[in-house]
Amino acid sequence: MLCSFVSRQTLGRVSLLPFTGRGRLAAQRMWVATEATNNEVQLVRHTGADQGILTLSLNRPKAKNALSRSLVSDFRKALEEIRNDREARVVILRSTVPGVFCAGADLKERATMSPSEVEQFLYSMKTSFKELESLPQPTIAALDGAALGGGFELSLCCDLRIAGPRAILGLPETSLAIIPGAGGTLRLTRLIGSSQTKALVFTGRRFGPYPALSMGIVNDVVEPVECMDEKNTEEHGLGYERAMEWAREILPNGPIAVRMAKRSIDHASSVDPATGLDVEQLCYAQVIPTEDRLEGLRAFKEKRKPVYKGR
């Protein structure tokens, strides 16, 4: 692929770095490919007071962020870069496309695949979902628009979900004579229980932000702006703005402690109580020898805000 690079650009409080998969080089320069697919996944590392927050954006407007082979490949590379980034403390997953979070799998592309290619793609897509779910940093899905089928399943891989006023969620697969195939039945059941999950999957029902909040699927909802009409696009990004507020609330806390808390909580939902308590104790042991724990004690004694460095 022919590529050219330009100097790193700073946009307000963020530095825009479309994903390149080139580690340290990506932190110094922004690669701009001649092919549009190279910009389907964008990684933003925030600076200033927001340093430590990363935004991972899906940017495939012509296909409503449908999960193609190229997008999934770039997405997995971005996740690997985030996983190895010691400075990353919170990750937000969002869409840059108005009205949609993710349309799920690219069915048009899938129609051109052989059975073996379909199997290979499904394996890669499901693996990418597991890789998102297992990131050590807390993750927040900003749902500004439709997240149906595989797109909804993608959001379920995040730790938190924030719904904008135009969010539409659902698992409509049974209306197509199939079932959710990217972990939706498992992750949604763990989140809201089997009875609620069965109701949503059996009916293929689509629902908005407030039903999602009442069921415990999303953690927060953004109120619609006044005089909102169907053609108004100003609301796009409100879910992302609220997600940034959540990220800023997480950011000052001890990063190692937050990671260990995530690990302990994730295990709590899949093991028996005795094992869960053992895992919690093991995670607690990881924070005892850290410099951050001592900094927290000093800051409490000196009546000041702690400054944690992730050590």
Side-chain angles (χ1 to χ4, degrees):
M1 179 184 298
L2 296 176
C3 296
S4 60
F5 65 87
V6 296
S7 299
R8 179 176 180 171
Q9 297 181 356
T10 301
L11 304 177
R13 300 178 67 183
V14 304
S15 299
L16 180 60
L17 296 174
F19 175 70
T20 64
R22 295 180 180 269
R24 295 180 181 176
L25 182 59
Q28 299 172 357
R29 291 183 173 86
M30 180 179 70
W31 289 90
V32 180
T34 56
E35 294 185 14
T37 54
N38 209 46
N39 290 325
E40 290 179 351
V41 177
Q42 298 176 341
L43 183 59
V44 172
R45 288 182 170 86
H46 296 256
T47 60
D50 291 331
Q51 185 172 352
I53 300 175
L54 272 61
T55 297
L56 184 59
S57 298
L58 304 180
N59 181 44
R60 195 182 177 215
K62 292 183 178 180
K64 297 183 179 181
N65 289 336
L67 299 172
S68 64
R69 281 182 285 195
S70 63
L71 190 149
V72 169
S73 176
D74 285 347
F75 187 63
R76 293 186 65 186
K77 292 174 184 176
L79 292 175
E80 181 64 21
E81 186 167 325
I82 293 170
R83 184 181 302 278
N84 295 321
D85 188 345
R86 294 186 178 182
E87 301 299 319
R89 296 191 181 188
V90 189
V91 181
I92 299 175
L93 178 62
R94 68 167 302 199
S95 164
T96 63
V97 182
V100 64
F101 174 72
C102 175
D106 189 334
L107 299 183
K108 290 183 179 179
E109 181 185 68
R110 185 177 297 185
T112 67
M113 297 181 186
S114 66
S116 62
E117 288 174 329
V118 170
E119 184 176 353
Q120 184 178 11
F121 168 75
L122 290 175
Y123 175 80
S124 181
M125 184 179 71
K126 291 178 182 179
T127 301
S128 73
F129 284 20
K130 292 178 183 177
E131 291 167 345
L132 171 62
E133 185 177 42
S134 65
L135 282 178
Q137 305 93 344
T139 54
I140 306 172
L143 304 174
D144 283 305
L148 301 170
F152 183 39
E153 291 177 292
L154 177 64
S155 75
L156 292 173
C157 298
C158 291
D159 300 307
L160 306 174
R161 281 154 296 282
I162 311 301
R166 292 191 180 278
I168 302 174
L169 313 178
L171 294 172
E173 283 86 349
T174 54
S175 66
L176 299 173
I178 57 175
I179 70 169
T185 58
L186 173 67
R187 294 186 178 100
L188 190 58
T189 299
R190 287 182 175 177
L191 189 63
I192 63 174
S194 62
S195 180
Q196 287 274 39
T197 299
K198 288 175 180 178
L200 295 177
V201 173
F202 292 173
T203 63
R205 185 180 301 158
R206 303 182 184 199
F207 50 93
Y210 289 102
L213 182 65
S214 68
M215 287 184 282
I217 294 174
V218 301
N219 302 87
D220 199 357
V221 170
V222 182
E223 294 282 348
V225 299
E226 290 186 24
C227 302
M228 186 175 73
D229 58 58
E230 292 299 321
K231 295 181 180 179
N232 188 2
T233 60
E234 291 182 1
E235 307 82 25
H236 182 75
L238 293 180
Y240 174 62
E241 291 177 11
R242 182 65 58 82
M244 282 294 296
E245 293 176 12
W246 278 77
R248 291 178 182 127
E249 192 172 348
I250 297 170
L251 189 61
N253 298 327
I256 298 176
V258 171
R259 291 185 180 204
M260 289 301 103
K262 173 175 176 173
R263 182 178 298 179
S264 180
I265 295 167
D266 284 347
H267 278 84
S269 63
S270 59
V271 298
D272 62 87
T275 302
L277 291 173
D278 288 340
V279 172
E280 181 184 74
Q281 186 59 39
L282 290 171
C283 291
Y284 194 98
Q286 297 299 310
V287 304
I288 294 298
T290 63
E291 295 178 18
D292 283 349
R293 184 182 70 88
L294 299 178
E295 165 62 11
L297 294 173
R298 285 193 298 268
F300 179 80
K301 181 180 180 180
E302 298 168 6
K303 298 181 179 180
R304 62 173 174 81
K305 292 183 178 181
V307 179
Y308 297 122
K309 299 180 179 179
R311 296 198 293 263

